[in-house]
Amino acid sequence: MIASAYASAGASVEHAAASSGLPQFESSVFGSQIFWTVVSFALLMMLLNKYVLPTIGNILDSRSNRIAEDLQKAEHARKEGERLLTNYQGQMVAARQVAAQTLEEARQDSLRMRDQALVELNQEMAKKKNAALVEIEQAKNRAMEEVRTVAVELSMQVAEKLIAKSLTAEDANLMVQEALSQINENQTRLH
Amino acid sequence: MESLPASFIGMGLAATGLGGAGIGLGYMFGKAIEAFARQPSAEGQLSKYVWIGAAFVEAIALYGLVLAFIIMGKG
Amino acid sequence: MNFSFVAEAYAETAQTVATTAPKMDPLHHFQVINYLKITPFGFDMSISNSVLWMWIVVGVVYGLFRLAMRNPTLVPGRLQSVAEAGYLFVQGMIHDIIGPSGKKFFPAIFTLFFFVLFSNWTGLIPGSFTVTSQLIVTGTLALIIFALSIVLGAYHHGWKFLGFFVPHGLPPALLPLMVPIEIISFLARPVSLSVRLFANMTAGHTVLGVLFFFTATLTWAVAWLPFGFTVVFTAMEIFIGFIQAYIFTILTCVYINDSIHMH
């Protein structure tokens, strides 16, 4: 009875529903809303599924395809670059080997040449030494010959003088001395 | 008991459910801020869950509100 | 106990307030008004403001997407980027929760997300009607999802789907306790799903209604305060509208996933 008094007060403010709870709980409008919710949802789903989602999906797919393609291309280019690099590196190694080989050869050559020069030099030296030795020998022989000749001459002169006059011991001594000094003189001249 | 005053009391009681949601929200954001302070780099990932959780907790409070409205309709 | 004097006093005050001052009625804009009664064979398909705004939402969602994708280019423009972001957002959500087998639900879940999102958002336009603030609308959507999850479970698992209500690794002694709890929590899914969205929208708009009422009726010296709050709250509602649409969708995904993969 009291509630109805309140209700009548509420009703006078034109919205009876407001005084009896939320308008959402009013079941008289449920039927149409259920129906139209289902219909609207189905319609929207159909429209989106038919006209919108394939477009977006396609564009996204084509973009990801494009990106994948580009990536593949980049990968390809990278591989090509790597191949070229390996190639180049191989060439570098080969060139370096050739250079090292040439250098080694040159070194060997120079070594050989040096050795050869050394050997030749030694040979020359030996030859020259031999020649010098021979010459010395010859000179010595000649000197000996000369000494002999001188000695013979001297002895002949001594004999001549002995024969020519009788000699005193002092004279003989003097003469020997003289002869010896002559020999010495000859010898010094020889050397 | 008369139904109208009782319904007002009931509505008030139903609204006390908001307190629980308040506690929940406080806990959640407090913990979240603690977590962000410890691990600022995780903020991006965690804040998503914080907001979802906040919406869930808030909805609990609103169940109380709906109850209050239902009681209002019955009064 | 007799509280009649309280009620009487209240009724009296209500009467005076009703006749002298503008009445605060923040629930007014949830009122469904039938514009056109169509009831062929007792089947109610009347056109109301709620129905009208459903159509507007459908038109807006479809129109925006068509506008965004009217000439799609490989390097997207602004609107196209947004449309693609929405597409990828829903796709990522489905992929994260359901996995590859969720692909066939993509159109439905995409539609659901954007239908709910734009219902929430168009409702914020002053003078408009929030479709998702109607319990019956969210309830219908939730029941469709619920029915779908049951059908999917029965289709994928047959009678084994009843094992859904038996938690793993439970001692048999606890079964009589746990199975009813599981069944109740399963049945509560559509209720919580629909009530969460409807209550969020209703509460937000009610608060906005109260604040606007104060803004309109108070003197300008204090009216700026509730008006400032309406600004803040509208921003908050935009955010909540998105979050609730997201949660509605993500829970749909979770329910579908439960039905396909069980747990």
Side-chain angles (χ1 to χ4, degrees):
Chain A
M1 151 224 154
I2 304 298
S4 66
Y6 173 71
S8 68
S12 67
V13 205
E14 80 188 293
H15 293 303
S19 62
S20 62
L22 272 181
Q24 281 97 322
F25 296 141
E26 214 172 287
S27 57
S28 63
V29 289
F30 278 9
S32 77
Q33 291 202 74
I34 292 173
F35 173 74
W36 283 113
T37 303
V38 174
V39 168
S40 309
F41 188 82
L43 177 75
L44 182 61
M45 188 162 109
M46 197 203 75
L47 285 174
L48 288 180
N49 199 17
K50 193 157 188 186
Y51 298 109
V52 171
L53 294 182
T55 327
I56 303 181
N58 283 342
I59 201 82
L60 287 175
D61 279 353
S62 66
R63 185 175 308 143
S64 63
N65 281 346
R66 175 72 173 276
I67 289 168
E69 218 169 83
D70 285 359
L71 277 179
Q72 211 172 7
K73 260 185 214 160
E75 178 72 7
H76 207 74
R78 195 178 65 84
K79 277 202 180 128
E80 178 71 21
E82 243 165 40
R83 199 181 60 75
L84 284 175
L85 189 67
T86 326
N87 228 350
Y88 169 74
Q89 274 170 345
Q91 281 173 353
M92 280 286 280
V93 167
R96 213 166 280 155
Q97 268 174 353
V98 168
Q101 207 178 335
T102 314
L103 201 68
E104 183 62 27
E105 266 169 23
R107 208 169 62 88
Q108 296 285 359
D109 270 0
S110 72
L111 275 178
R112 206 171 51 236
M113 273 157 79
R114 197 195 64 178
D115 286 352
Q116 205 178 345
L118 217 61
V119 168
E120 271 170 18
L121 189 67
N122 280 345
Q123 279 174 351
E124 185 95 346
M125 293 282 277
K127 215 192 281 176
K128 273 189 179 157
K129 204 173 106 184
N130 283 346
L133 281 176
V134 168
E135 210 168 303
I136 288 168
E137 188 69 18
Q138 279 173 354
K140 203 174 102 183
N141 288 347
R142 220 178 313 148
M144 291 300 275
E145 193 79 16
E146 228 163 280
V147 166
R148 223 177 0 252
T149 321
V150 168
V152 169
E153 240 173 62
L154 205 61
S155 51
M156 274 169 70
Q157 279 176 359
V158 167
E160 229 173 71
K161 279 186 181 156
L162 275 175
I163 297 160
K165 60 180 167 178
S166 62
L167 292 171
T168 63
E170 260 174 274
D171 288 338
N173 234 352
L174 203 75
M175 275 192 286
V176 169
Q177 287 278 339
E178 209 174 289
L180 276 174
S181 69
Q182 217 163 354
I183 289 166
N184 272 343
E185 206 177 300
N186 281 346
Q187 253 175 345
T188 41
R189 216 178 41 205
L190 249 173
H191 282 284
Chain B
M1 192 186 252
E2 293 291 335
S3 75
L4 184 66
S7 76
F8 287 145
I9 293 169
M11 283 166 73
L13 287 178
T16 56
L18 299 175
I23 293 170
L25 282 174
Y27 258 119
M28 199 171 60
F29 281 106
K31 289 281 176 198
I33 288 165
E34 222 169 79
F36 297 159
R38 276 192 200 161
Q39 193 87 33
S41 58
E43 187 172 343
Q45 292 176 314
L46 289 183
S47 58
K48 186 175 113 186
Y49 296 107
V50 171
W51 288 115
I52 294 172
F56 274 114
V57 174
E58 210 182 41
I60 302 280
L62 297 174
Y63 295 157
L65 186 84
V66 172
L67 276 182
F69 278 132
I70 290 172
I71 296 168
M72 180 176 139
K74 302 284 184 218
Chain C
M1 241 208 253
N2 193 348
F3 275 96
S4 59
F5 66 96
V6 179
E8 248 165 274
Y10 181 84
E12 216 168 284
T13 325
Q15 197 111 41
T16 28
V17 165
T19 45
T20 55
K23 188 175 181 326
M24 180 161 79
D25 187 10
L27 304 180
H28 166 61
H29 60 282
F30 299 124
Q31 191 77 46
V32 177
I33 301 155
N34 275 338
Y35 295 145
L36 197 62
K37 268 223 178 303
I38 310 171
T39 50
F41 317 114
F43 187 76
D44 190 6
M45 43 190 286
S46 318
I47 312 299
S48 57
N49 50 357
S50 172
V51 173
L52 181 72
W53 278 93
M54 272 177 218
W55 294 349
I56 290 173
V57 167
V58 169
V60 165
V61 173
Y62 179 66
L64 276 181
F65 272 108
R66 277 315 288 267
L67 182 69
M69 303 306 293
R70 70 190 180 285
N71 47 359
T73 47
L74 214 55
V75 178
R78 285 180 210 174
L79 212 52
Q80 194 189 333
S81 293
V82 174
E84 283 172 7
Y87 185 96
L88 292 173
F89 179 71
V90 178
Q91 202 179 41
M93 190 153 60
I94 293 172
H95 190 84
D96 285 349
I97 293 170
I98 310 181
S101 54
K103 241 179 189 147
K104 54 182 171 291
F105 304 107
F106 178 69
I109 290 171
F110 185 87
T111 312
L112 184 71
F113 177 70
F114 281 98
F115 184 74
V116 173
L117 180 68
F118 277 86
S119 298
N120 296 348
W121 279 353
T122 52
L124 285 171
I125 301 165
S128 72
F129 186 88
T130 320
V131 177
T132 40
S133 73
Q134 296 298 311
L135 179 59
I136 193 64
V137 174
T138 61
T140 306
L141 293 175
L143 277 176
I144 293 172
I145 291 157
F146 186 62
L148 178 73
S149 77
I150 289 175
V151 168
L152 275 174
Y155 174 75
H156 280 281
H157 303 289
W159 288 109
K160 275 191 205 146
F161 187 57
L162 290 177
F164 188 78
F165 302 116
V166 185
H168 285 295
L170 195 73
L174 281 176
L175 277 182
L177 187 70
M178 283 308 289
V179 169
I181 290 178
E182 287 284 322
I183 291 174
I184 288 171
S185 79
F186 184 70
L187 292 178
R189 279 176 169 189
V191 178
S192 69
L193 189 62
S194 57
V195 170
R196 181 178 301 114
L197 180 56
F198 136 78
N200 262 289
M201 290 304 113
T202 305
H205 286 253
T206 308
V207 171
L208 278 178
V210 171
L211 289 172
F212 272 120
F213 172 77
F214 284 133
T215 310
T217 52
L218 294 176
T219 59
W220 58 269
V222 280
W224 60 269
L225 192 63
F227 181 71
F229 273 117
T230 61
V231 174
V232 175
F233 231 83
T234 306
M236 176 89 174
E237 278 300 299
I238 291 171
F239 179 64
I240 285 178
F242 171 75
I243 287 274
Q244 289 303 325
Y246 178 61
I247 284 180
F248 198 90
T249 320
I250 216 160
L251 284 178
T252 305
C253 292
V254 169
Y255 295 162
I256 291 174
N257 178 50
D258 278 354
S259 297
I260 294 178
H261 298 119
M262 297 202 25
H263 55 69

